Amino acid sequence: MLAAVTDAVVPVAGLGTRLAPLTRALPKELLPVGRTPVVGHVVEELAAAGVERVCFVTRRGKGAILDHFDDPDPGHAISFLAVRQAVQRGLGDAVLCAEGTVTGPFVVALGDAVLSAAGGAPAGIVARLGAAFAAHDAVAAIAVEAVPPEAISRYGVVAPRAEAAGGVLLLEDLVEKPDPADAPSRWAIAARYVLSPAIFGALRTTAPGTGGEVQLTDAIRALLHAGGTVVAVPLAPGERRHDVGSPASYARAFLDLALDDPELGPELRAHLVARLRDGG
Ligand code: UTP
Protein backbone atom coordinates (compact mmCIF):
# COMPACT_ATOMS: atom_id res chain seq x y z
CA MET A 1 0.00 0.00 0.00
CA LEU A 2 1.34 3.44 -0.96
CA ALA A 3 1.90 5.96 1.81
CA ALA A 4 -0.68 8.77 1.87
CA VAL A 5 0.36 12.34 1.17
CA THR A 6 0.10 13.89 4.65
CA ASP A 7 0.52 17.65 3.98
CA ALA A 8 -2.18 19.80 2.38
CA VAL A 9 -2.29 23.47 1.41
CA VAL A 10 -5.80 24.96 1.34
CA PRO A 11 -5.95 28.43 -0.26
CA VAL A 12 -8.71 30.53 1.28
CA ALA A 13 -7.37 34.03 0.64
CA GLY A 14 -9.48 34.98 -2.39
CA LEU A 15 -11.69 38.05 -2.45
CA GLY A 16 -14.95 36.25 -3.24
CA THR A 17 -16.21 39.16 -5.33
CA ARG A 18 -18.69 37.04 -7.28
CA LEU A 19 -20.53 36.22 -4.06
CA ALA A 20 -20.86 39.83 -2.86
CA PRO A 21 -22.62 41.01 -0.72
CA LEU A 22 -22.55 37.63 1.11
CA THR A 23 -18.78 37.93 1.36
CA ARG A 24 -18.62 41.55 2.54
CA ALA A 25 -17.80 40.44 6.09
CA LEU A 26 -17.95 36.62 5.87
CA PRO A 27 -15.27 34.51 4.16
CA LYS A 28 -16.96 32.51 1.39
CA GLU A 29 -15.14 29.43 2.64
CA LEU A 30 -17.29 29.61 5.81
CA LEU A 31 -20.63 29.76 4.01
CA PRO A 32 -22.80 26.84 5.11
CA VAL A 33 -23.32 24.00 2.66
CA GLY A 34 -25.94 21.88 4.39
CA ARG A 35 -24.90 21.64 8.04
CA THR A 36 -21.15 22.26 7.49
CA PRO A 37 -19.22 25.26 6.17
CA VAL A 38 -17.60 24.77 2.76
CA VAL A 39 -14.11 24.45 4.19
CA GLY A 40 -15.35 21.98 6.83
CA HIS A 41 -16.34 19.64 3.99
CA VAL A 42 -12.89 20.15 2.43
CA VAL A 43 -11.13 19.20 5.68
CA GLU A 44 -13.35 16.12 6.16
CA GLU A 45 -12.36 14.99 2.67
CA LEU A 46 -8.65 15.55 3.41
CA ALA A 47 -8.87 13.69 6.73
CA ALA A 48 -10.51 10.73 4.97
CA ALA A 49 -7.57 10.70 2.50
CA GLY A 50 -4.99 10.47 5.31
CA VAL A 51 -3.88 14.11 5.44
CA GLU A 52 -2.41 15.03 8.84
CA ARG A 53 -1.44 18.74 8.44
CA VAL A 54 -3.41 21.49 6.74
CA CYS A 55 -1.87 24.88 5.97
CA PHE A 56 -4.51 27.51 5.17
CA VAL A 57 -3.37 30.37 2.96
CA THR A 58 -5.41 33.18 4.41
CA ARG A 59 -5.59 36.97 4.58
CA ARG A 60 -6.88 39.86 6.63
CA GLY A 61 -10.50 39.37 7.70
CA LYS A 62 -10.43 35.57 7.36
CA GLY A 63 -9.24 34.61 10.86
CA ALA A 64 -12.61 32.98 11.56
CA ILE A 65 -11.61 30.11 9.25
CA LEU A 66 -8.91 28.95 11.68
CA ASP A 67 -11.28 29.64 14.62
CA HIS A 68 -13.74 27.18 13.10
CA PHE A 69 -11.25 24.34 13.58
CA ASP A 70 -10.60 25.08 17.30
CA ASP A 71 -12.63 21.98 18.11
CA PRO A 72 -11.54 20.10 21.24
CA ASP A 73 -13.13 16.92 19.84
CA PRO A 74 -12.65 17.17 16.08
CA GLY A 75 -13.09 13.51 15.13
CA HIS A 76 -9.85 13.55 13.12
CA ALA A 77 -6.12 13.98 13.80
CA ILE A 78 -5.38 16.97 11.56
CA SER A 79 -3.27 19.86 12.86
CA PHE A 80 -3.74 23.31 11.35
CA LEU A 81 -1.53 26.26 10.60
CA ALA A 82 -1.96 29.40 8.53
CA VAL A 83 0.20 31.61 6.34
CA ARG A 84 -0.89 34.91 4.86
CA GLN A 85 -1.21 36.08 1.28
CA ALA A 86 -0.88 39.84 1.61
CA VAL A 87 -2.05 40.71 -1.91
CA GLN A 88 -4.48 38.54 -3.91
CA ARG A 89 -2.26 37.71 -6.90
CA GLY A 90 -4.03 34.48 -7.76
CA LEU A 91 -4.07 30.78 -6.87
CA GLY A 92 -0.46 30.17 -7.93
CA ASP A 93 0.78 32.98 -5.72
CA ALA A 94 -1.35 31.64 -2.83
CA VAL A 95 0.33 28.22 -3.13
CA LEU A 96 3.78 29.89 -3.23
CA CYS A 97 2.94 31.56 0.11
CA ALA A 98 2.89 28.08 1.70
CA GLU A 99 6.47 27.28 0.68
CA GLY A 100 8.35 26.38 3.84
CA THR A 101 5.37 24.68 5.44
CA VAL A 102 5.68 21.46 3.41
CA THR A 103 8.63 19.11 3.07
CA GLY A 104 7.54 16.62 0.41
CA PRO A 105 4.70 16.07 -2.07
CA PHE A 106 1.58 17.87 -0.89
CA VAL A 107 -2.11 18.18 -1.68
CA VAL A 108 -3.59 21.46 -2.88
CA ALA A 109 -7.34 21.59 -2.19
CA LEU A 110 -9.27 24.73 -3.10
CA GLY A 111 -11.11 25.92 -0.01
CA ASP A 112 -14.24 26.91 -1.94
CA ALA A 113 -14.97 23.58 -3.67
CA VAL A 114 -16.48 20.44 -2.14
CA LEU A 115 -15.91 17.07 -3.81
CA SER A 116 -18.46 14.47 -2.81
CA ALA A 117 -19.09 10.84 -3.63
CA ALA A 118 -22.47 9.17 -4.11
CA GLY A 119 -24.71 9.79 -1.10
CA GLY A 120 -22.72 12.87 -0.03
CA ALA A 121 -19.72 11.05 1.47
CA PRO A 122 -16.29 12.69 0.89
CA ALA A 123 -14.88 11.92 -2.56
CA GLY A 124 -11.90 9.56 -2.74
CA ILE A 125 -10.10 11.57 -5.40
CA VAL A 126 -7.25 12.86 -3.19
CA ALA A 127 -6.09 9.34 -2.30
CA ARG A 128 -6.25 8.37 -6.00
CA LEU A 129 -4.22 11.46 -6.92
CA GLY A 130 -1.56 10.46 -4.39
CA ALA A 131 -1.45 6.92 -5.79
CA ALA A 132 -1.15 8.13 -9.42
CA PHE A 133 1.51 10.68 -8.43
CA ALA A 134 3.62 7.92 -6.85
CA ALA A 135 2.96 5.27 -9.52
CA HIS A 136 4.06 7.58 -12.37
CA ASP A 137 6.88 9.31 -10.46
CA ALA A 138 5.07 12.53 -11.40
CA VAL A 139 5.69 16.18 -10.55
CA ALA A 140 1.95 16.85 -10.52
CA ALA A 141 -1.30 14.87 -10.40
CA ILE A 142 -4.45 16.82 -11.18
CA ALA A 143 -8.12 15.97 -10.60
CA VAL A 144 -10.27 16.46 -13.70
CA GLU A 145 -13.99 16.29 -14.48
CA ALA A 146 -15.72 16.15 -17.86
CA VAL A 147 -17.57 19.42 -18.57
CA PRO A 148 -19.77 20.39 -21.56
CA PRO A 149 -18.15 22.47 -24.35
CA GLU A 150 -20.13 25.62 -23.48
CA ALA A 151 -18.65 25.62 -19.94
CA ILE A 152 -15.05 24.70 -20.78
CA SER A 153 -13.74 28.30 -21.05
CA ARG A 154 -14.34 28.82 -17.30
CA TYR A 155 -11.73 26.21 -16.33
CA GLY A 156 -8.15 25.07 -16.65
CA VAL A 157 -8.19 22.27 -19.25
CA VAL A 158 -5.77 19.36 -19.75
CA ALA A 159 -4.48 17.88 -23.03
CA PRO A 160 -3.96 14.09 -22.62
CA ARG A 161 -1.46 12.23 -24.81
CA ALA A 162 -2.18 8.71 -23.54
CA GLU A 163 -4.22 6.75 -21.02
CA ALA A 164 -2.54 4.52 -18.43
CA ALA A 165 -3.92 1.87 -16.08
CA GLY A 166 -6.90 2.91 -13.95
CA GLY A 167 -7.99 5.63 -16.39
CA VAL A 168 -5.07 7.89 -15.42
CA LEU A 169 -4.31 10.37 -18.22
CA LEU A 170 -0.71 11.23 -19.15
CA LEU A 171 -0.61 14.89 -20.19
CA GLU A 172 1.17 16.68 -22.99
CA ASP A 173 -0.13 20.12 -22.04
CA LEU A 174 -2.60 22.11 -19.99
CA VAL A 175 -4.08 25.55 -20.48
CA GLU A 176 -6.04 28.03 -18.34
CA LYS A 177 -9.50 29.18 -19.53
CA PRO A 178 -9.22 28.36 -23.27
CA ASP A 179 -11.62 29.59 -25.93
CA PRO A 180 -14.07 26.70 -26.55
CA ALA A 181 -12.68 26.32 -30.10
CA ASP A 182 -9.11 25.89 -28.75
CA ALA A 183 -9.95 23.66 -25.76
CA PRO A 184 -7.67 20.59 -26.00
CA SER A 185 -10.21 18.26 -24.32
CA ARG A 186 -13.40 18.19 -22.23
CA TRP A 187 -11.36 17.53 -19.07
CA ALA A 188 -11.53 20.49 -16.70
CA ILE A 189 -9.22 20.83 -13.69
CA ALA A 190 -11.31 20.04 -10.61
CA ALA A 191 -9.97 21.85 -7.51
CA ARG A 192 -7.60 19.12 -6.22
CA TYR A 193 -3.92 18.49 -6.95
CA VAL A 194 -0.93 16.57 -5.59
CA LEU A 195 2.26 18.51 -6.31
CA SER A 196 6.00 18.09 -5.92
CA PRO A 197 7.78 20.89 -4.00
CA ALA A 198 9.45 21.63 -7.38
CA ILE A 199 6.29 23.67 -8.04
CA PHE A 200 7.61 26.47 -5.82
CA GLY A 201 10.58 27.17 -8.10
CA ALA A 202 8.26 27.15 -11.12
CA LEU A 203 5.81 29.52 -9.40
CA ARG A 204 8.58 31.99 -8.59
CA THR A 205 9.34 32.37 -12.30
CA THR A 206 5.71 32.29 -13.54
CA ALA A 207 4.57 35.65 -14.87
CA PRO A 208 0.97 36.72 -14.23
CA GLY A 209 -1.28 35.18 -16.90
CA THR A 210 -5.05 35.00 -17.45
CA GLY A 211 -6.79 37.71 -15.39
CA GLY A 212 -3.46 39.24 -14.30
CA GLU A 213 -3.10 36.44 -11.73
CA VAL A 214 -0.24 34.00 -11.15
CA GLN A 215 -1.86 30.80 -12.40
CA LEU A 216 -1.03 27.44 -10.81
CA THR A 217 -1.83 25.90 -14.22
CA ASP A 218 1.02 27.89 -15.83
CA ALA A 219 3.56 26.70 -13.24
CA ILE A 220 2.52 23.04 -13.67
CA ARG A 221 2.81 23.57 -17.42
CA ALA A 222 6.38 24.83 -16.94
CA LEU A 223 7.29 21.69 -14.97
CA LEU A 224 5.76 19.53 -17.74
CA HIS A 225 7.66 21.36 -20.49
CA ALA A 226 10.87 20.97 -18.46
CA GLY A 227 10.43 17.17 -18.77
CA GLY A 228 8.35 16.34 -15.69
CA THR A 229 5.51 13.83 -15.82
CA VAL A 230 2.08 15.35 -15.18
CA VAL A 231 -0.95 13.08 -14.84
CA ALA A 232 -4.69 13.73 -14.56
CA VAL A 233 -7.14 11.57 -12.63
CA PRO A 234 -10.82 11.79 -13.62
CA LEU A 235 -13.50 11.99 -10.94
CA ALA A 236 -15.09 8.56 -10.47
CA PRO A 237 -18.73 7.84 -11.36
CA GLY A 238 -20.83 9.39 -8.60
CA GLU A 239 -18.11 11.86 -7.60
CA ARG A 240 -19.14 15.49 -8.05
CA ARG A 241 -17.60 18.90 -7.65
CA HIS A 242 -19.67 21.57 -5.86
CA ASP A 243 -18.26 25.07 -6.34
CA VAL A 244 -19.04 27.88 -3.95
CA GLY A 245 -17.94 30.54 -6.43
CA SER A 246 -21.04 32.27 -7.81
CA PRO A 247 -24.51 32.69 -6.25
CA ALA A 248 -25.95 30.14 -8.69
CA SER A 249 -23.32 27.47 -8.05
CA TYR A 250 -23.57 28.10 -4.28
CA ALA A 251 -27.34 27.56 -4.35
CA ARG A 252 -26.86 24.27 -6.25
CA ALA A 253 -24.09 23.15 -3.86
CA PHE A 254 -26.27 23.79 -0.81
CA LEU A 255 -29.24 21.94 -2.27
CA ASP A 256 -27.20 18.99 -3.51
CA LEU A 257 -25.38 18.41 -0.22
CA ALA A 258 -28.44 19.09 1.94
CA LEU A 259 -30.40 16.55 -0.13
CA ASP A 260 -27.60 14.01 0.41
CA ASP A 261 -27.53 14.66 4.18
CA PRO A 262 -29.38 11.84 6.00
CA GLU A 263 -30.74 14.31 8.61
CA LEU A 264 -31.81 17.11 6.25
CA GLY A 265 -32.43 15.24 3.01
CA PRO A 266 -35.76 13.41 3.40
CA GLU A 267 -37.73 16.44 4.64
CA LEU A 268 -36.09 18.82 2.16
CA ARG A 269 -36.85 16.42 -0.70
CA ALA A 270 -40.53 16.23 0.32
CA HIS A 271 -40.65 20.04 0.55
CA LEU A 272 -39.12 20.47 -2.91
CA VAL A 273 -41.38 17.88 -4.51
CA ALA A 274 -44.48 19.59 -3.03
CA ARG A 275 -43.24 23.02 -4.04
CA LEU A 276 -42.47 21.96 -7.63
CA ARG A 277 -45.77 20.09 -7.91
CA ASP A 278 -47.59 23.30 -6.89
CA GLY A 279 -45.94 25.13 -9.79
CA GLY A 280 -42.65 26.23 -8.17
P1 UTP B 1 -11.37 31.94 -7.05
O1 UTP B 1 -10.76 31.75 -8.36
O2 UTP B 1 -12.79 31.52 -6.88
O3 UTP B 1 -11.19 33.47 -6.65
O4 UTP B 1 -10.46 31.20 -5.99
P2 UTP B 1 -11.82 34.34 -5.48
O5 UTP B 1 -11.01 35.58 -5.39
O6 UTP B 1 -11.95 33.55 -4.21
O7 UTP B 1 -13.32 34.67 -5.94
P3 UTP B 1 -13.86 35.79 -6.97
O8 UTP B 1 -13.35 35.38 -8.32
O9 UTP B 1 -13.33 37.13 -6.48
O10 UTP B 1 -15.35 35.70 -6.85
C1 UTP B 1 -10.37 29.78 -5.85
C2 UTP B 1 -9.74 29.47 -4.49
O11 UTP B 1 -8.42 30.03 -4.42
C3 UTP B 1 -8.31 30.96 -3.35
C4 UTP B 1 -9.75 31.33 -2.97
O12 UTP B 1 -9.88 31.68 -1.60
C5 UTP B 1 -10.53 30.08 -3.32
O13 UTP B 1 -10.58 29.16 -2.23
N1 UTP B 1 -7.49 32.13 -3.77
C6 UTP B 1 -7.74 32.73 -4.97
C7 UTP B 1 -6.48 32.58 -2.97
O14 UTP B 1 -6.23 32.01 -1.86
N2 UTP B 1 -5.74 33.66 -3.36
C8 UTP B 1 -5.96 34.30 -4.54
O15 UTP B 1 -5.23 35.29 -4.85
C9 UTP B 1 -6.99 33.83 -5.37
Side-chain angles (χ1 to χ4, degrees):
M1 157 119 183
L2 294 160
V5 180
T6 51
D7 282 316
V9 172
V10 178
V12 292
L15 296 172
T17 45
R18 285 168 298 154
L19 279 164
L22 273 179
T23 46
R24 200 178 285 156
L26 184 70
K28 72 171 168 182
E29 294 82 5
L30 285 183
L31 289 172
V33 178
R35 287 182 295 148
T36 309
V38 187
V39 73
H41 288 285
V42 174
V43 165
E44 281 176 20
E45 181 196 333
L46 294 173
V51 166
E52 294 169 1
R53 278 173 304 282
V54 166
C55 176
F56 291 115
V57 183
T58 182
R59 70 171 167 86
R60 163 177 1 103
K62 293 214 171 185
I65 293 175
L66 214 50
D67 294 350
H68 175 79
F69 294 99
D70 268 351
D71 183 349
D73 185 20
H76 57 68
I78 288 188
S79 59
F80 298 97
L81 74 155
V83 296
R84 313 267 290 193
Q85 185 190 32
V87 180
Q88 278 51 65
R89 295 199 186 91
L91 175 61
D93 180 68
V95 171
L96 184 53
C97 291
E99 186 179 19
T101 72
V102 298
T103 48
F106 62 101
V107 179
V108 171
L110 302 198
D112 65 348
V114 180
L115 274 81
S116 71
I125 183 69
V126 167
R128 299 205 308 282
L129 285 174
F133 181 94
H136 292 276
D137 197 14
V139 290
I142 306 171
V144 292
E145 61 173 340
V147 306
E150 62 274 16
I152 201 83
S153 61
R154 296 207 295 268
Y155 298 95
V157 181
V158 304
R161 64 174 165 78
E163 187 173 328
V168 173
L169 305 170
L170 305 173
L171 302 190
E172 65 179 2
D173 207 358
L174 59 165
V175 49
E176 192 59 34
K177 299 186 174 61
D179 286 335
D182 301 334
S185 76
R186 67 195 171 118
W187 293 112
I189 298 176
R192 301 289 183 267
Y193 309 78
V194 170
L195 300 173
S196 149
I199 197 70
F200 297 120
L203 283 166
R204 262 194 298 278
T205 55
T206 298
T210 310
E213 299 193 329
V214 176
Q215 298 288 351
L216 184 57
T217 305
D218 291 341
I220 297 172
R221 189 168 195 250
L223 292 181
L224 193 158
H225 289 173
T229 299
V230 178
V231 297
V233 181
L235 298 190
E239 285 184 336
R240 294 179 64 183
R241 169 195 188 156
H242 311 271
D243 252 327
V244 178
S246 69
S249 69
Y250 174 43
R252 283 197 302 273
F254 191 103
L255 264 185
D256 282 345
L257 286 155
L259 283 168
D260 281 341
D261 183 317
E263 274 189 36
L264 294 178
E267 197 188 317
L268 178 62
R269 186 177 307 277
H271 169 77
L272 287 174
V273 167
R275 169 120 199 216
L276 294 171
R277 190 189 52 221
D278 297 344

